[in-house]
Amino acid sequence: MTGRVVLGLVVLGVAAAPLLGHQYYTTLMLPFFGYSLAVLGLNLLFGYTGLLSFGGALFVALGAYTAAYLTSVFGVLAFEGIVLAAAVVGFLVAIPVGLLCVRYVRIYFGMLTLAFGMLFYSFLFKFYHLTGGDEGLRVLRPRLFGLAFESLDKVQFLTGPFYYYSLALMVVGTAVMWRIARSPFGLCLRSIRENPGKAEYVGVSVRRYRFYAFLIAGVFGAVGGTLLAVPTGLADPLLAYWPHSGTLVFMMLLGGFSNFFGPILGAFVFIFLQDQVMSLTQYWRFVFGLILAIVVIFVPRGLMGFLDPRQRAGV
Amino acid sequence: MATTRRQFLELVGGAAALATARLDTAPAFAQATPVRMGVLTIKSGIGAQVGEAGLRSAQWTTDRINKAGGILGRKLELVVEEESTPKDTVERFRKLALQNKVDVITGVISTGVSLAIGPVAEELKMLWISWDGTTQKGVEETMPNPRYSFRSTDNECEAVMASIVVAKNWKGKFRTVAGINPDYSYGRDNWQAFLWIMEKYGNPVTPVSDLWPKLGTTDFTAHVAALQQAKPDLIFSSHWAGDASVLMKQAHAAGLVGNTKFVFVVAGGVHETLKKSFTPEGMFLGYNTIYFDYADASPLQKQFVKEYNDRYKEWPVFECERAYLVTSAYKAAVEKAAKAIGGKWPTTDQVIDALEGLELESLGGKARYRKDHIPECNFYGGFTTYKNRFDFVTIDPVVKMTGPEVQKPSGVGLKDWIQSWKV
Amino acid sequence: MVAAGLQLVFGVQKIVNLACGSFYALGAYFGVTVVTRALAAGLPPPLFLVVLIAGGLALAAIGPIVERVLRPVYDRDESFQIILTFALVLMFEDITRFIWGSSPYQMGNVYLVYGQWKIGRLTVPVYNLIVIAAGGLIALGMGFVLSRTRFGRIVRATAENREMSEALGVDMRRIYARVFTLGTALGTVGGALVIPATAVTLDVAVEVIVEAFAVVVISGLGSMRGTFVGALLVGVLKAVAIAAYPELELLVIYVIVIAVLVLRPAGLFARAAA
């Protein structure tokens, strides 16, 4: 019970953050909301199903480009519509990609997802008449519930209405993922991770469940992508480049893949750490590489592993 | 699970509190406080070389300004952040504006990034003077009437210059051409400009091959083979980084050099790596807005080139000129605006008004900011020679063209502008 | 070459080493430095190849160090291994930047020391042929070592069944360290060999990884024989794409990779039970 109380308090705390008046840090929370969703999706694949995707960026970029297309090409500014469209696009793309990918596990799965991500990157780059090429596509300021908030400038919009909208979306997304993870479906996924052969034996269709998990991850990635795209104002091909997928995996591991909230914590810590370290030193990649190496070698369960004594003991 | 969740939440809450509780630095505009200039520059990957050169130059300019008493008595201070992907750079830009509360932001080299930054500068009402970021699309669609963003010269200026010089000097000496340009908007704009200008000059050419290697390609073997097959009279390239010298080297090794004419519109950015051993004499080499060994250079340029070489053992590239122009333009604009209002420190809007139409001396000679926030600079290029004291090629004689000669005027499309020429 | 190193390490240790691209970059940077120094010290230019290879081999000394870092994750899911080597890629990029700066590096005038060959209309630098021959030789040499020597037999046995070879008294640690060092050497020597013809920049590591992966996937994970053929295939297909339809240059590799993974996940040249 205390857990729920604290959960509520934290959501309240995050909700109150813009009131502190630190506009920059408030804007930094926006990519956090977006990444949280994307990494939660990724973790459904890895933490629950045991499939490490190196193509997470593919879906994030899909979401961002959906937002860009709808706002600047078709003039659709309703953010509800954009999120819905991104979810649909993410879902539709995840069907063929997922069908091909989930036939494989382990390293083959990782490489196939990487290849699809890079294929999309090349597509964005090459078909510049459609995608804007290296210049990307503008993402215009959306309307929320039909309201344009014209009296607010963009920063006020981002730290005001859009902040709460994103927060709400993230809370809803997290709640949905929580339900999924706790459902019989989620349990099946975990049984697949632990022992696919056994899972198959007791009647779990391994491939089909992996496929479903892939679809869900795709939708979460795409929705996360729309949340990322609005503050940036641009969808660009680098969102689909493979190191960006690496970043998503980094967040997941940093927070801890074996805990439901790990990805969210990871996204949060990563963003604020990057903010600080990038300002401190130009060799921030080295620092991040080091952190990642330490996490992988010494704390494979991530920051959450630190927090939970039972997990630290290896339970 | 309760424990886990609670502790997680505590951590998040704690971190959030920590992150947001940092105190802002007080932005008091007293005479004694330094003026803070944000700088966004590339530090990783293929663009890191020009990014670093620009930063060195910005630092040199800042030191020079401070030695001469700063800007209206206030010291100038640089706050450097990294330019990387558009998304991350937008965040860094916001940090400089909202958190560090700098007075002006400069820098940005990549096209894609500058397209993302422009609108953000407008939203934040933050004066941003770009070093090098610009594109066609940037001019015509994305930022039709920028107020707070000052961009760089148009993409294809150096290609326009190269094409004019080539069309005049080699008239009738080539018919088939091949383009090998980096695969992004910059390369495409340059190639297009070249073809239009050839047509305009009554020098009809037949493109026999157009290749689009990725920017930063280090293996051109297959491209060179394709060029060998196509056997063009002239090869036009706008690779500007380390890839330009690799291309030259591999083309040379494959025996392409000799009968073929080469036009490298902007390889002056890596002039030192174009060694005599594999770069032919008599090819066209563009240097963009500064030529380091220009005999008629201003004392300012000569001093800069000397000190730069003494310190870094390298010869400055175009990004140095860009960074100097931007840094000193800010100073000049502040002083011009202050003069108009009786010596007080001007507001951002007053600085912007002063920047529009501002004329100043940059490293490459006279420069000026047009009303539409695009600078006009001199461009340098010429045909290569071995007659110098270096182990790499230089140009002789040096051709200099002014901004209005190579850059389309405000509000006119590139094609229309080229067709309006009288040749 | 990089692909061969990747293959070897994967085949035996079942580790996917993203850092192979970094080894390649390091080899190239280091190669420029040693050759430039050696030439300045009066080395006759035709001997530069020897220095280059020696430099590449010397650099392989970082292999055991990196291997030591990777050791803790041998028993874990290979996902962790990929991620750990990804961390190494990040670190190595900054290390090279710290040592060699951000300017592109290239070697002086040694590329054409061995002359050029004219084959019909084409002119080919002899050096390119040397590199190709070196690649072939290395593939053959590796094949020989793996199939004919005692060391090779142990390595193969280890790859087949680790527990069994351990039970038979094979010192796993030493074998792993050696194999990994060999893999590193392939990467560093590869980078060093290519550098006279090109230049090395900071993002080479990231670029090379993707191509090496393409080669490895196409030829089949762990198959040494396939690697050389796979590398040639990727090169040829790219050349064809560039000549026939340059716009597709970027796409073509990934399409092939996906096709191969989907149709023959074990690779074109692997035996069925790979």
Side-chain angles (χ1 to χ4, degrees), chain C residues 5 7 9 18 24 32 54 59 69 95 98 117 127 147 171 176 206 219 251 273:
Chain C
Q7 283 292 19
V9 172
L18 283 178
Y24 177 90
V32 176
L59 195 65
V69 174
I95 290 173
F98 185 76
W117 268 4
Y127 189 79
S147 57
D171 183 351
Y176 276 10
V206 178
S219 50
L251 286 173

Side-chain angles (χ1 to χ4, degrees), chain A:
Chain A
M1 275 322 283
T2 47
R4 285 202 186 165
V5 173
V6 181
L7 188 66
L9 282 178
V10 162
V11 173
L12 276 181
V14 175
L19 304 177
L20 292 170
H22 294 272
Q23 280 189 324
Y24 170 65
Y25 287 109
T26 311
T27 58
L28 261 197
M29 293 295 281
L30 298 171
F32 158 62
F33 297 144
Y35 277 127
S36 291
L37 288 179
V39 182
L40 273 176
L42 206 61
N43 197 38
L44 184 71
L45 277 178
F46 185 62
Y48 287 86
T49 321
L51 296 170
L52 180 68
S53 166
F54 258 95
L58 164 67
F59 293 98
V60 173
L62 266 180
Y65 272 89
T66 305
Y69 244 89
L70 286 181
T71 57
S72 59
V73 179
F74 297 120
V76 178
L77 294 177
F79 198 59
E80 298 74 36
I82 294 170
V83 169
L84 197 67
V88 171
V89 171
F91 185 78
L92 291 179
V93 173
I95 291 175
V97 176
L99 278 177
L100 291 174
C101 290
V102 295
R103 289 160 62 193
Y104 308 104
V105 285
R106 301 165 38 124
I107 186 65
Y108 293 102
F109 177 82
M111 286 200 301
L112 205 50
T113 49
L114 178 85
F116 273 111
M118 289 304 289
L119 189 69
F120 187 57
Y121 167 76
S122 312
F123 168 80
L124 292 174
F125 209 86
K126 265 295 173 192
F127 291 78
Y128 47 87
H129 297 298
L130 290 174
T131 62
D134 62 299
E135 299 173 342
L137 273 183
R138 293 272 290 133
V139 179
L140 304 180
R141 179 170 152 169
R143 290 163 187 260
L144 309 176
F145 302 116
L147 301 172
F149 298 100
E150 269 156 14
S151 62
L152 304 176
D153 68 29
K154 177 89 180 257
V155 177
Q156 287 168 334
F157 169 74
L158 288 178
T159 57
F162 188 75
Y163 182 91
Y164 291 105
Y165 199 100
S166 302
L167 174 62
L169 208 57
M170 179 197 140
V171 169
V172 170
T174 310
V176 170
M177 189 57 90
W178 176 265
R179 295 296 308 166
I180 293 173
R182 303 278 133 173
S183 68
F185 173 72
L187 289 176
C188 289
L189 291 182
R190 245 182 289 185
S191 71
I192 292 174
R193 179 191 170 87
E194 297 308 326
N195 191 335
K198 203 166 181 179
E200 187 85 62
Y201 184 69
V202 297
V204 178
S205 170
V206 171
R207 200 176 281 180
R208 189 183 304 162
Y209 274 83
R210 281 183 181 142
F211 178 57
Y212 292 155
F214 196 89
L215 293 183
I216 296 169
V219 170
F220 269 74
V223 172
T226 61
L227 290 182
L228 284 181
V230 172
T232 309
L234 186 84
D236 71 281
L238 284 179
L239 288 173
Y241 200 37
W242 74 264
H244 193 224
S245 291
T247 304
L248 295 176
V249 172
F250 193 154
M251 289 175 178
M252 177 170 78
L253 283 191
L254 184 63
F257 65 91
S258 56
N259 186 291
F260 179 80
F261 290 104
I264 301 178
L265 177 68
F268 182 85
V269 174
F270 182 93
I271 289 167
F272 282 85
L273 204 63
Q274 186 184 30
D275 170 65
Q276 293 299 313
V277 178
M278 254 178 114
S279 296
L280 279 178
T281 167
Q282 58 167 319
Y283 297 108
W284 64 276
R285 280 178 190 77
F286 183 84
V287 177
F288 268 73
L290 198 63
I291 293 174
L292 183 57
I294 291 172
V295 166
V296 172
I297 296 175
F298 299 108
V299 269
R301 290 182 182 280
L303 292 172
M304 278 316 229
F306 261 136
L307 297 180
D308 190 340
R310 279 171 305 165
Q311 291 193 353
R312 199 166 22 189
V315 175

